[in-house]
Amino acid sequence: MKEKTITQLSLGLLNKKFSSEELTKFFLDRIDKFNPQLNSFITVTHDLAINQARIADNLRKNGLANQLTGIPIAHKDIFCTAGILTSCGSKMLSNFIAPYNATVVEKLYNAGMVVLGKTNMDEFAMGSSNENSFYGSVKNPWNLNMVPGGSSGGSAAAVAAWLAPAATATDTGGSIRQPAALCGLTGIKPTYGLVSRWGMIAYASSLDQGGPIARTAEDCALILRAMAGFDPLDSTSVNYTVPDYYSLINRSIKGIKIGIPKEYFDDGLDKIVGNTIENAIKQYQKLGAIIKDISLPNSKLAVPAYYIIAPAECSSNLARFDGVRYGYRCDNPKNLLDLYIRSRTEGFGNEVKRRILLGTFALSAGYYEDYYLKAQKIRKIISEDFKKAFEQVNLIAGPTSPTVAFSLGAKTVNPISMYLSDIYTIAVNLAGLPGISLPVGFVNKLPVGLQLIGNYFMEDLILNAAHCYQKVTDWHLNIPEEFATF
Amino acid sequence: MIINEQIIENILLLSRLDIPDSDKKDFASDISDIIKMVSQINKIDTSNIEPIITYPMNNMQRLRDDKISEILDQRKQCQYIAPQVQSGLYIVPIVVE
């Protein structure tokens, strides 16, 4: 099969080159063959996928297909899937069969997409390397000794190795964009409120946002169009008419202004990664964009503010896992307190415990004003920086990650060095803005991602700009050699 | 601020968590380092800044109409995955003797 994008696969289905059932079997076979090396899936839904593919073929036969009908997809194991294990990468939920579908799962099912399975992730989406999963680390398909990024590392590794044409993911501080960058893919984190969080297990509710990871901006546009939209079940869902991102993707970007924040090119950025990003910016200049130097002066405060706000929200959200109504329960509890403490102690991994403790501390009596309230004020300052920047430019460009993929185990002993992996992505979540990562080259045979940030609800422009770059380059079409046999 | 083992003990209880004694020193040290890192924000004057309290765009959160929206009884569906259930009730160790 020579097709490498959803757009191409969709054409193959339309021209009856193959059926959805054949396409689904192709991906299930690849998962069976390659997943043991990568550990990118927690659950593979063989029977369900074939059944859904047959339904999709029937829809097509009856003239009811759209571009996504019959296209397989994998879901990050943070999205509730009715009747299927939804573990969130945790022992705590290793017996949790979700009683309902997340809105995102439901919407993509209604669009005719076929569920291949559930992808591995850092436990409760807390991590930047996918080494915090109860189900073991995920490997980067470009180099099996390297991390794929996190927390959506399973989604990114699966798409990079072409075990799935696309996958859903979530982004609280960079968890769509950073793994997309480290695995050579395109991943978009939408404006907060654009994609429903109903049925998406909460980590930090004011920052969490779902989105797709795929090979191309075109594919992301197709999936985001189907994922997005108002949901009365999510109180933070924004009532906004979703544009047809796909039909808007081919506009010229001549004359659009792209701001380059000097703070994103500091000492922390790997020099060769920096050069690769500068080359991508030059390509945008050739495409007619106007490049402008800008400043986001409070960028350095994003990581500190995030590591107060996110743990605070996590300590509150994860209080629900108490061993009473669902999830893991310890053996032979002596009393109710013992049941709570041992169920949580045995059910959560170390990084989750660390963030719960940090959040509990930041919200506790005597510290709330110095930490949590202060961090929320810093968040306002960071949002204002972006607001001022968007008065001068249409988009902001810079690196997604300060380095290419790093070795497994390299940052596990030092939490702060791990947290700094997301130094260029976190501010976007604090401000609730949309951002994309797209592949723009390789350093030491490992992919480099460019981040484009837009103003609220400017996903159409972000996808448009990413697509214009991908029309004149082919970084997004590379598949790691080891997985390029079909 | 230094997070010592006594503070760790206190927040462990508040969090309904425990960690082995042998790991407490490492946890205290990691959390102290993180608190030191996040304390950078204290150098910034925020006296005239309104905090973001709701969510990023600071809109008011929408309230739904005061009407019953779920008509199906989902007790069975939800209790199917519970660790211990009896006669439609969740079972926990005895709270009052």
Side-chain angles (χ1 to χ4, degrees), chain A residues 192 234 329 344-345 374, chain B residues 15 18 44 55 62 77 91:
Chain A
Y192 184 84
D234 171 0
R329 177 185 281 200
R344 288 165 62 78
T345 299
K374 182 88 181 178
Chain B
S15 309
D18 198 8
I44 309 296
Y55 68 106
R62 177 176 42 79
Q77 220 177 330
I91 303 298

Side-chain angles (χ1 to χ4, degrees), chain A residues 191-325:
Chain A
T191 305
Y192 184 84
L194 183 69
V195 170
S196 168
R197 293 185 299 109
W198 170 259
M200 194 178 104
I201 296 170
Y203 156 26
S205 307
S206 77
L207 303 164
D208 298 340
Q209 186 61 191
I213 291 182
R215 299 210 96 78
T216 67
E218 238 181 347
D219 291 357
C220 283
L222 279 174
I223 299 171
L224 185 61
R225 186 175 67 179
M227 278 173 96
F230 176 65
D231 181 8
L233 297 173
D234 171 0
S235 69
T236 57
S237 176
V238 178
N239 203 345
Y240 169 77
T241 308
V242 178
D244 182 356
Y245 303 120
Y246 187 74
S247 72
L248 295 168
I249 210 162
N250 271 307
R251 293 168 295 174
S252 162
I253 56 162
K254 208 169 173 184
I256 70 150
K257 290 181 192 146
I258 301 181
I260 313 297
K262 61 177 183 214
E263 293 80 5
Y264 284 28
F265 293 82
D266 57 2
D267 294 344
L269 177 65
D270 177 275
K271 211 174 167 188
I272 313 177
V273 170
N275 293 340
T276 312
I277 297 296
E278 278 163 16
N279 287 338
I281 293 166
K282 279 181 196 151
Q283 183 66 61
Y284 271 105
Q285 226 163 356
K286 281 189 206 158
L287 288 166
I290 300 160
I291 307 299
K292 202 170 160 38
D293 288 331
I294 60 162
S295 175
L296 295 168
N298 296 292
S299 297
K300 280 222 159 103
L301 300 174
V303 172
Y306 177 89
Y307 277 97
I308 296 170
I309 295 165
E313 293 185 15
C314 124
S315 71
S316 169
N317 272 324
L318 271 61
R320 75 191 65 181
F321 300 106
D322 57 4
V324 174
R325 289 148 302 152

Side-chain angles (χ1 to χ4, degrees), chain A residues 39 42 77 85 87 89-91 93-95 120 133-137:
Chain A
N39 197 26
I42 290 174
D77 211 16
L85 174 69
S87 75
S90 180
K91 181 180 177 182
L93 290 178
S94 57
N95 60 1
N120 204 343
S133 169
F134 173 63
Y135 296 89
S137 305

Side-chain angles (χ1 to χ4, degrees), chain A residues 385-438:
Chain A
D385 278 359
F386 280 114
K387 197 175 164 188
K388 280 181 203 147
F390 285 123
E391 283 166 9
Q392 305 170 54
V393 295
N394 307 102
L395 290 172
I396 294 170
T400 307
S401 169
T403 64
V404 289
F406 45 91
S407 303
L408 286 154
K411 297 187 180 183
T412 45
V413 287
N414 183 348
I416 294 177
S417 73
M418 186 71 86
Y419 299 168
L420 292 172
S421 310
D422 294 325
I423 193 163
Y424 303 128
T425 50
I426 274 176
V428 170
N429 299 75
L430 291 172
L433 293 164
I436 200 168
S437 181
L438 63 150

